[in-house]
Amino acid sequence: MAKEYDLVILGGGTGGYVAAIRAAQIGMQVAVVEKEKLGGTCLHRGCIPSKALLRSAEVYRQTKQASEFGIDTENTTLNFSKVQERKESIVSNLHQGVQGLMKKGKIDVFEGYGRILGPSIFSPMPGTISIEYANGDENTMIVPKNVLIATGSKPKSLPGLTLDGTYVMSSDEALQMEELPNSIIIVGGGVIGIEWASMLADFGVKVTVIEYLPHILPTEDEAIAKEVEKQLKNKGITFVKSAKVLPETLEINNMVSIEAEIDGEKKDFNADKMLVSVGREANTTNIGLENTDIVVDKGFIQTNDYYQTKETHIYAIGDVIGGMQLAHVASHEGIVAVEHMADQKPQPLNYNNIPSCIYSNPEAASVGLTEKQAKEAGFQINVGKFPFKAIGKALVHGESDGFVKVIADKKTEDLLGVHMVGPHVTDMISEAGLAKVLDATPWEIANTVHPHPTLSEIMGEAALAVEGKQIHG
């Protein structure tokens, strides 16, 4: 007899396991089906391991700069195997924590590959889950009242550019490198590509970034993208923009060689390895969608504001529905979906109020509209901008490049967007996120007393700068 559940979640990544915990809190009987490890891409192949490597790169860079702080360090060396060991230890600890949360919530976890079945002897509606096991054991059938698809995404490549995992890698393989290359070509100047460029440059690798568009970080405010590029160039990173990589020219002979077309001319690029970072594609194939009426458009599952698909008892969240494709977004989508199943009348997410972060050096973070987006939306705007060079704590830290930019509606004075680049801005963007949620004005941010000396003082100064009233600039 197939076991019945209130909710079965396909995928135990950040979105899936958070949704499972919230559903258990509500009182649902919940199962999670995960083919690999709980925590998904974020914990095992994304957010956490990459940030662990970035932190090691930061410490290595700072150690080499220690003489500027009056500390003499000689013979600073990088032990990359220990860097990787530390990364794996962090991932393991967090993985054990997620497993503990599942036990605490009395959530059943099936380690296998789940597929959605159509109407069958188990249920007159699509949604019965068949679980296939890697060891060949007989499939398990479970029958849920609701299904949540949270199967995530995987790195994609350019058409015709094959990833061999050794010389031509995605971020998945790059995270497992046993030793650093002397040089690398990074195809793609988006968030993931820029984080890897920054990290590898800090580790001493010669980095070349090839970007198809005229500028890197196309989703960021243009001023932020330019500042990030300027600071990364100071690390020695080479940027090649408006360049079309030609996959058919790829040659591998103990190193990588490829051509790119720039202004109608072809140019050769050579390096020890290549990292392809051109976005991610949703994991929607082979999960049984063809057995349902679920609509998939351009590779992404289509849902309403509460993440219901066309099959109203089947929901989908996270990377499989497109959008921002961020772990914290998936988590909150999962909570909204589960609360909607339980008829708790949740508020739909306002994606304009969700911060995004880039963990390169320099860091960048943003929430709300860019200056270009605000103008295109028809707003008349006031812009305040304030540099870290005028913030005492930034000088104390030895990191005073960068700025905060605040965009406000000239008519209503409402906050439209906040954009940051500089030290620890990924830790400071939440103040701007809260301001957006509360529909605050720059005046309210400026009248929030920011302690001195802190990096957060820059938020108050940038808010004052919207009306030209900044104190230290």
Side-chain angles (χ1 to χ4, degrees):
M1 186 71 181
K3 189 170 182 179
E4 296 183 356
Y5 288 90
D6 296 314
L7 172 63
V8 172
I9 300 172
L10 292 183
T14 308
Y17 85 71
V18 169
I21 292 168
R22 182 66 187 121
Q25 290 173 342
I26 292 171
M28 292 184 184
Q29 188 174 9
V30 186
V32 173
V33 182
E34 170 55 53
K35 68 183 179 73
E36 294 179 354
K37 292 182 179 180
L38 288 170
T41 293
C42 177
L43 178 52
H44 299 284
R45 297 183 300 279
C47 319
I48 299 302
S50 64
K51 303 317 168 275
L53 295 182
L54 278 159
R55 174 58 178 155
S56 289
E58 178 183 43
V59 171
Y60 184 52
R61 180 187 73 249
Q62 290 175 337
T63 302
K64 291 191 293 182
Q65 296 170 343
S67 62
E68 298 174 14
F69 296 81
I71 301 167
D72 292 327
T73 55
E74 295 181 5
N75 302 320
T76 300
T77 57
L78 176 67
N79 186 332
F80 193 65
S81 63
K82 285 191 175 180
V83 169
Q84 289 284 32
E85 285 175 14
R86 178 177 183 272
K87 177 203 75 179
E88 292 299 329
S89 175
I90 293 167
V91 170
S92 177
N93 286 340
L94 290 172
H95 179 230
Q96 291 174 26
V98 176
Q99 290 175 311
L101 290 171
M102 295 298 99
K103 291 178 182 178
K104 179 182 177 183
K106 298 180 180 178
I107 297 161
D108 291 341
V109 177
F110 292 86
E111 296 179 1
Y113 194 102
R115 291 182 180 85
I116 301 170
L117 302 182
S120 65
I121 60 172
F122 301 104
S123 173
M125 299 187 302
T128 297
I129 304 299
S130 172
I131 304 171
E132 177 183 309
Y133 300 101
N135 63 6
D137 284 355
E138 183 179 350
N139 286 20
T140 298
M141 302 293 176
I142 52 180
V143 183
K145 294 178 182 176
N146 293 286
V147 176
L148 179 62
I149 301 171
T151 48
S153 65
K154 59 188 175 185
K156 64 182 180 182
S157 186
L158 296 174
L161 188 59
T162 302
L163 306 179
D164 67 5
T166 301
Y167 289 99
V168 183
M169 307 176 292
S170 72
S171 56
D172 286 358
E173 294 85 28
L175 284 167
Q176 301 305 319
M177 286 191 295
E178 294 181 359
E179 59 183 31
L180 290 167
N182 291 316
S183 59
I184 193 166
I185 297 166
I186 298 179
V187 179
V191 173
I192 296 173
I194 291 304
E195 288 184 352
W196 275 97
S198 173
M199 174 212 304
L200 292 170
D202 282 344
F203 278 143
V205 178
K206 182 181 178 183
V207 178
T208 300
V209 177
I210 304 177
E211 168 56 44
Y212 179 74
L213 295 174
H215 50 84
I216 65 169
L217 301 175
T219 60
E220 297 302 308
D221 188 272
E222 290 181 13
I224 299 294
K226 287 179 181 178
E227 179 66 20
V228 171
E229 182 177 345
K230 183 186 80 173
Q231 292 195 39
L232 292 181
K233 281 182 176 178
N234 289 339
K235 292 179 185 286
I237 296 173
T238 299
F239 288 93
V240 183
K241 296 174 290 184
S242 299
K244 181 181 179 181
V245 170
L246 305 174
E248 67 275 11
T249 67
L250 175 66
E251 293 184 6
I252 299 173
N253 185 14
N254 294 324
M255 64 183 306
V256 177
S257 174
I258 200 164
E259 293 181 5
E261 187 176 307
I262 308 160
D263 295 329
E265 296 184 4
K266 295 180 180 179
K267 184 176 179 181
D268 288 320
F269 295 91
N270 302 280
D272 291 337
K273 291 184 182 292
M274 178 188 294
L275 171 62
V276 180
S277 179
V278 292
R280 300 182 65 84
E281 57 184 316
N283 292 323
T284 56
T285 58
N286 205 27
I287 59 172
L289 296 184
E290 66 277 6
N291 299 321
T292 73
D293 290 331
I294 292 172
V295 176
V296 178
D297 184 38
K298 297 177 181 177
F300 298 109
I301 295 174
Q302 302 300 293
T303 72
N304 64 14
D305 289 344
Y306 301 100
Y307 310 108
Q308 280 178 300
T309 68
K310 194 172 180 182
E311 301 275 6
T312 56
H313 63 296
I314 302 179
Y315 292 65
I317 62 164
D319 288 6
V320 288
I321 66 170
M324 296 180 78
Q325 292 192 312
L326 299 170
H328 50 283
V329 174
S331 297
H332 283 269
E333 289 172 346
I335 291 169
V336 170
V338 165
E339 291 182 350
H340 188 261
M341 294 173 199
D343 199 26
Q344 294 200 347
K345 298 178 172 57
Q347 290 294 313
L349 283 181
N350 183 343
Y351 290 91
N352 201 37
N353 294 343
I354 299 177
S356 61
C357 298
I358 304 171
Y359 297 88
S360 54
N361 174 257
E363 291 187 350
S366 62
V367 63
L369 300 178
T370 66
E371 183 173 346
K372 182 179 179 182
Q373 288 169 340
K375 289 177 179 177
E376 289 176 345
F379 289 103
Q380 291 183 299
I381 61 173
N382 286 327
V383 178
K385 190 175 175 183
F386 198 83
F388 274 104
K389 281 184 170 60
I391 299 297
K393 188 69 175 290
L395 295 173
V396 168
H397 269 272
E399 297 180 79
S400 58
D401 290 331
F403 57 86
V404 170
K405 179 178 179 179
V406 175
I407 303 166
D409 186 335
K410 185 179 288 187
K411 292 182 179 178
T412 66
E413 299 183 355
D414 287 341
L415 186 68
L416 297 177
V418 176
H419 306 272
M420 305 176 168
V421 56
H424 297 282
V425 297
T426 61
D427 298 314
M428 295 196 293
I429 193 62
S430 293
E431 178 182 353
L434 177 61
K436 282 285 294 166
V437 168
L438 297 177
D439 201 18
T441 66
W443 181 90
E444 289 164 310
I445 296 173
N447 279 275
T448 301
V449 178
H450 295 81
H452 175 78
T454 62
L455 295 173
S456 68
E457 289 177 89
I458 197 169
M459 270 297 297
E461 290 279 18
L464 284 169
V466 170
E467 295 184 0
K469 295 179 179 178
Q470 64 270 28
I471 300 301
H472 293 95

